[in-house]
Amino acid sequence: MRYLVLSDMHANCDAFEAVLETVDLDGFDVTLVLGDLVGYGACPNRVVDRVRELPGEVHAIRGNHDKVVAGIESGENFNPAAAEAARWTASELSEENRAFVRDLDRGPVRVDEVVSICHGSPLDEDEYVFSDFDAFQIFSRHEAPLTFFGHTHIPSLFSQRPEGGIDVALLRGRTGSVEIEEDSRYLVNPGSIGQPRDRDPRAAYMVYDSDERMVHWYRVEYAVEKAQERIREAGLPDVLAERLEVGV
Ligand code: ZN
């Protein structure tokens, strides 16, 4: 089985469409969407439309921005730029797309025997997983052998060997592949499509091939200046445009 793993598009249609044009969607059995479809970027409807059009078996969950935009949470913990973008997005989304975002499943979702997905952590959808201790706590309480997560926007992998040791690989701006060993467990982040934060502005996505037992990280160049122009034209905070070209 081949899984396409997409996360944190953040209403950046230029980045998301570049990824979709690069991959052959028919070549995947399952598509996993790890949340934060919207928020920050200036084309929320186009991004949600594209998610709704994904072919085949799709599992999509909500992110923290999706919840605030849909009115499920207030966003009082958001920084001013994120809060302003969420308000703008809520007014911009079509009724249908707002309902789609509101009705996204809450993670974690168990996809099959092996794979589960979440936005932040399987223990708390809003939690950030950065450290080996974060990973250790999850491995102690969450059973799935292979969990894909988003939220940090940093391509990363944590694994636990059968004897309990934790290994960490933070890929930051690199592409690469890791073998998924049968008796270890994994927490894997594909990185962000719409707002990378590993100092590489290219859109990030991932493929998991369960037959060859490999995860692969990829990056795609896209028209960053076009996404910036849309953000400025929408009157969103300029920092949201600026950060895209440096990938922070
Ligand atoms: Zn995000």
Side-chain angles (χ1 to χ4, degrees), residues 2 12 27 54 61 67 70 77 84 105-106 133 138 152 154 159 161 171 182-183 188 205 211 216 234-235 238 242:
R2 295 185 79 233
N12 184 340
L54 288 169
I61 53 170
K67 283 194 288 185
N77 57 343
E84 189 178 337
D105 286 333
R106 173 201 197 119
F133 182 61
I138 295 165
T152 63
I154 308 280
S159 60
R161 297 184 297 271
L171 290 170
E182 198 133 10
D183 48 4
V188 186
Y205 73 97
D211 298 322
H216 305 280
D238 204 60
E242 289 162 21

Coordinates of all heavy atoms in Angstrom, one line a residue, residues 2 12 27 54 61 67 70 77 84 105-106 133 138 152 154 159 161 171 182-183 188 205 211 216 234-235 238 242:
R2 N 0.4 2.2 -0.7 CA 1.1 3.5 -0.7 C 0.3 4.6 -0.1 O -0.9 4.8 -0.5 CB 1.6 3.9 -2.2 CG 2.6 2.9 -2.7 CD 3.1 3.4 -4.1 NE 4.1 4.4 -3.9 CZ 4.1 5.6 -4.5 NH1 3.1 5.9 -5.3 NH2 5.1 6.4 -4.4
N12 N -2.6 27.8 1.8 CA -1.6 28.2 0.8 C -1.8 27.4 -0.5 O -1.3 26.3 -0.6 CB -0.2 28.0 1.4 CG 0.9 28.5 0.4 OD1 0.7 28.7 -0.8 ND2 2.1 28.7 0.9
G27 N -1.6 7.0 -7.9 CA -0.6 6.1 -7.5 C -0.6 5.8 -6.0 O 0.2 5.1 -5.5
L54 N -9.9 15.2 -3.2 CA -8.9 14.1 -3.3 C -9.6 12.8 -3.6 O -10.6 12.4 -2.9 CB -8.2 14.0 -1.9 CG -7.2 15.2 -1.6 CD1 -6.8 15.1 -0.1 CD2 -6.0 15.1 -2.5
I61 N -8.2 14.9 9.4 CA -8.5 15.3 10.7 C -8.3 16.8 10.9 O -7.7 17.4 10.0 CB -7.6 14.6 11.8 CG1 -6.1 14.7 11.4 CG2 -8.0 13.1 11.9 CD1 -5.2 14.2 12.5
K67 N -10.1 24.4 14.0 CA -11.0 24.5 15.1 C -11.4 25.9 15.4 O -12.6 26.3 15.6 CB -10.5 23.9 16.4 CG -10.5 22.4 16.4 CD -10.2 21.9 17.8 CE -8.8 22.1 18.2 NZ -8.5 21.5 19.6
A70 N -13.5 27.4 12.5 CA -14.9 26.8 12.5 C -15.7 27.2 13.7 O -16.9 26.8 13.8 CB -14.8 25.3 12.4
N77 N -5.6 31.7 22.7 CA -4.2 31.4 22.9 C -3.4 31.7 21.6 O -2.2 31.5 21.5 CB -3.9 30.0 23.3 CG -4.5 29.0 22.3 OD1 -5.4 29.4 21.5 ND2 -4.1 27.7 22.4
E84 N -5.9 37.1 13.8 CA -6.4 38.0 12.7 C -6.7 37.1 11.5 O -7.7 37.2 10.8 CB -5.5 39.1 12.4 CG -6.1 40.1 11.4 CD -5.1 41.3 11.1 OE1 -4.2 41.6 11.9 OE2 -5.3 41.9 10.1
D105 N -12.7 15.1 11.5 CA -12.5 14.3 12.7 C -11.5 14.8 13.6 O -10.5 15.5 13.2 CB -12.1 12.9 12.3 CG -13.3 12.1 11.7 OD1 -14.4 12.4 12.0 OD2 -13.0 11.2 10.9
R106 N -11.7 14.5 14.9 CA -10.7 14.9 15.9 C -9.7 13.7 16.0 O -10.1 12.6 16.0 CB -11.4 15.0 17.3 CG -10.5 15.2 18.4 CD -11.3 14.8 19.7 NE -10.6 15.3 20.8 CZ -11.1 16.2 21.7 NH1 -12.4 16.5 21.6 NH2 -10.4 16.7 22.7
F133 N 11.6 13.3 24.9 CA 10.7 13.0 26.1 C 9.2 13.1 25.7 O 8.4 12.3 26.1 CB 11.0 14.0 27.2 CG 10.2 13.8 28.4 CD1 10.2 12.6 29.1 CD2 9.3 14.7 28.9 CE1 9.5 12.3 30.2 CE2 8.5 14.5 30.0 CZ 8.6 13.3 30.7
I138 N 4.4 9.6 24.6 CA 3.4 9.0 23.6 C 3.6 7.5 23.5 O 2.6 6.8 23.5 CB 3.5 9.8 22.3 CG1 3.2 11.3 22.5 CG2 2.6 9.1 21.2 CD1 3.6 12.1 21.3
T152 N 4.0 20.9 14.2 CA 5.2 21.6 14.5 C 5.8 22.2 13.2 O 6.6 23.1 13.2 CB 6.3 20.7 15.0 OG1 6.6 19.6 14.1 CG2 5.9 20.0 16.3
I154 N 7.8 20.8 11.3 CA 9.2 20.4 11.2 C 9.2 18.9 10.8 O 8.8 18.0 11.5 CB 9.9 20.5 12.5 CG1 9.8 21.9 13.2 CG2 11.4 20.1 12.4 CD1 10.7 22.9 12.6
S159 N 11.6 7.3 17.0 CA 11.3 5.8 17.0 C 11.7 5.2 18.3 O 12.5 5.7 19.0 CB 12.0 5.1 15.8 OG 13.4 5.3 16.0
R161 N 12.8 1.6 19.9 CA 13.2 0.2 19.6 C 12.5 -0.7 20.6 O 12.0 -0.3 21.7 CB 14.7 0.1 19.8 CG 15.5 0.9 18.7 CD 17.0 0.7 18.8 NE 17.5 1.1 20.1 CZ 17.9 2.4 20.4 NH1 17.9 3.3 19.5 NH2 18.4 2.7 21.6
L171 N 14.7 16.3 10.3 CA 15.3 16.4 9.0 C 15.6 17.8 8.6 O 16.5 18.0 7.7 CB 14.4 15.7 8.0 CG 14.4 14.2 8.2 CD1 13.3 13.6 7.3 CD2 15.7 13.6 7.8
E182 N 10.1 -3.7 11.6 CA 8.8 -4.4 12.1 C 8.6 -4.3 13.6 O 7.5 -4.1 14.0 CB 8.9 -5.8 11.7 CG 7.6 -6.5 11.7 CD 7.3 -7.3 10.4 OE1 8.3 -7.5 9.6 OE2 6.2 -7.7 10.2
D183 N 9.7 -4.3 14.4 CA 9.5 -4.4 15.8 C 9.6 -3.1 16.5 O 9.6 -3.0 17.8 CB 10.3 -5.5 16.4 CG 11.8 -5.4 16.0 OD1 12.1 -4.4 15.2 OD2 12.6 -6.2 16.3
V188 N 6.0 10.1 13.1 CA 6.6 10.7 11.9 C 5.9 12.0 11.5 O 4.7 11.9 11.3 CB 6.7 9.7 10.7 CG1 7.5 10.3 9.6 CG2 7.3 8.4 11.2
Y205 N 6.1 17.2 1.9 CA 5.1 16.2 2.0 C 5.8 14.8 2.1 O 7.0 14.8 2.1 CB 4.1 16.2 0.8 CG 4.7 15.7 -0.5 CD1 4.5 14.3 -0.9 CD2 5.4 16.5 -1.3 CE1 5.0 13.9 -2.0 CE2 6.0 16.0 -2.5 CZ 5.8 14.7 -2.8 OH 6.3 14.2 -4.0
D211 N 4.7 -1.8 1.6 CA 5.4 -3.0 1.0 C 6.9 -2.9 1.2 O 7.5 -3.9 1.6 CB 4.9 -3.2 -0.4 CG 3.4 -3.3 -0.6 OD1 2.9 -4.0 0.3 OD2 2.8 -2.8 -1.5
H216 N 9.3 8.3 3.0 CA 10.1 9.2 2.2 C 9.6 10.6 2.4 O 8.4 10.9 2.3 CB 10.0 8.9 0.7 CG 10.2 7.5 0.4 ND1 11.5 7.0 0.2 CD2 9.4 6.4 0.1 CE1 11.4 5.7 -0.1 NE2 10.2 5.3 -0.2
A234 N -5.0 40.4 0.5 CA -6.1 40.1 1.4 C -6.1 41.0 2.6 O -7.0 41.1 3.4 CB -6.1 38.7 1.8
G235 N -4.9 41.7 2.7 CA -4.8 42.6 3.9 C -4.4 41.9 5.2 O -4.6 42.4 6.3
D238 N 1.5 41.3 7.4 CA 2.6 41.1 6.5 C 3.6 40.0 6.9 O 4.2 39.4 6.1 CB 3.4 42.5 6.3 CG 4.1 42.5 4.9 OD1 3.4 42.3 3.9 OD2 5.3 42.5 4.9
E242 N 6.0 37.4 4.8 CA 7.5 37.4 5.0 C 8.1 36.1 5.4 O 9.1 35.6 4.9 CB 7.9 38.5 6.1 CG 7.7 39.9 5.6 CD 7.7 40.9 6.8 OE1 8.2 40.5 7.9 OE2 7.1 42.0 6.7

